[in-house]
Amino acid sequence: MSSNIVWHSHPVDQETRSQQKFQRPLVIWFTGLSASGKSTIAGALEQILTGQGYHTYLLDGDNVRHGLCRDLGFSDDDRQENIRRVGEVAKLMADGGLITLAAFISPFRDDRRLVREIMPEGQFVEVFVDADLSVCRERDPKGLYAKADRGEIKQFTGIDSPYEVPEKAEVHIPAGEISVAEAVNQLLAYLHEIGALQAGYQPVALEA
């Protein structure tokens, strides 16, 4: 970084923005295999939070590759850069006082650790959406596992590229065993427990 670039502090800061929104700014980082349910659970959580008056934004792995990261491929280096960019964007959104949800395979522990380290203490929540590879293969909504098996996709996470399971995720969701609604309620309870939902919350009704 050039020595001519100096951080400019503005009078409106993160604390002011978060107090205005009656919430604690966070980055909720969903990680897991493709088809584990990351985007589905993150989207359902955002819908509930928004409906209950919270200010949110969801960053989705496929969506950012249409713009912010469209110049990147799927090599290890490109994946690292993808997560670095998204981490910086998520940090800016949290600085704006938002509850920011990020749904990315993010297969490497070091990349997720780097995002955690750029965030203020206590503002990064790692959520491991844990679904067995066999469950993800069976779901395969985009047909990606089938393409990987045919050799049409190289360096596909879980097939010929590794996924490093989180060692100390704040939230562990057994996505192959519980419903989306149950996962959302698990997350809401955790966010309430750490004081992120200052205005309270209503759990999702479960089907009888």
Side-chain angles (χ1 to χ4, degrees), residues 9-201:
S9 296
H10 294 282
V12 178
D13 59 10
Q14 186 192 63
E15 183 178 1
T16 303
R17 299 182 190 106
S18 59
Q19 288 177 350
Q20 181 189 51
K21 297 175 177 63
F22 296 101
Q23 62 188 37
R24 174 178 159 190
L26 284 177
V27 171
I28 307 172
W29 193 276
F30 295 79
T31 177
L33 292 171
S34 178
S36 61
K38 300 180 300 299
S39 293
T40 300
I41 295 170
L45 176 62
E46 184 187 34
Q47 186 175 18
I48 294 300
L49 289 174
T50 301
Q52 297 184 14
Y54 292 99
H55 300 258
T56 67
Y57 195 87
L58 172 58
L59 295 164
D60 179 81
D62 279 355
N63 291 358
V64 299
R65 283 184 176 271
H66 281 81
L68 177 69
C69 298
R70 66 181 178 184
D71 58 321
L72 300 177
F74 292 91
S75 67
D76 287 356
D77 286 346
D78 280 359
R79 284 176 171 170
Q80 183 178 29
E81 174 61 12
N82 182 56
I83 298 305
R84 188 197 68 80
R85 292 183 193 180
V86 171
E88 293 290 349
V89 170
K91 179 183 177 182
L92 290 173
M93 290 184 165
D95 191 55
L98 297 177
I99 296 174
T100 307
L101 303 91
F104 293 81
I105 294 173
S106 45
F108 304 123
R109 293 190 190 105
D110 281 349
D111 295 345
R112 300 192 299 263
R113 176 182 55 79
L114 288 173
V115 178
R116 182 187 293 273
E117 289 178 351
I118 67 171
M119 295 297 303
E121 182 69 26
Q123 291 188 21
F124 182 86
V125 174
E126 186 176 45
V127 178
F128 177 30
V129 183
D130 184 3
D132 189 78
L133 179 60
S134 62
V135 173
C136 297
R137 278 183 175 277
E138 183 177 350
R139 291 173 176 172
D140 200 15
K142 303 171 188 175
L144 299 180
Y145 286 98
K147 288 183 178 180
D149 288 339
R150 294 194 298 268
E152 297 172 15
I153 301 177
K154 302 297 184 182
Q155 294 182 300
F156 189 77
T157 302
I159 304 299
D160 56 357
S161 184
Y163 176 78
E164 297 176 354
V165 173
E167 295 177 327
K168 295 181 179 179
E170 280 77 9
V171 181
H172 174 255
I173 295 176
E177 303 172 12
I178 65 175
S179 68
V180 172
E182 289 172 318
V184 169
N185 281 342
Q186 182 181 346
L187 287 161
L188 288 171
Y190 176 80
L191 295 176
H192 179 67
E193 178 184 336
I194 65 172
L197 306 181
Q198 296 177 17
Y201 75 98

Side-chain angles (χ1 to χ4, degrees), residues 1 4-10 91-92 95:
M1 182 183 296
N4 297 321
I5 299 174
V6 179
W7 185 268
H8 188 101
S9 296
H10 294 282
K91 179 183 177 182
L92 290 173
D95 191 55

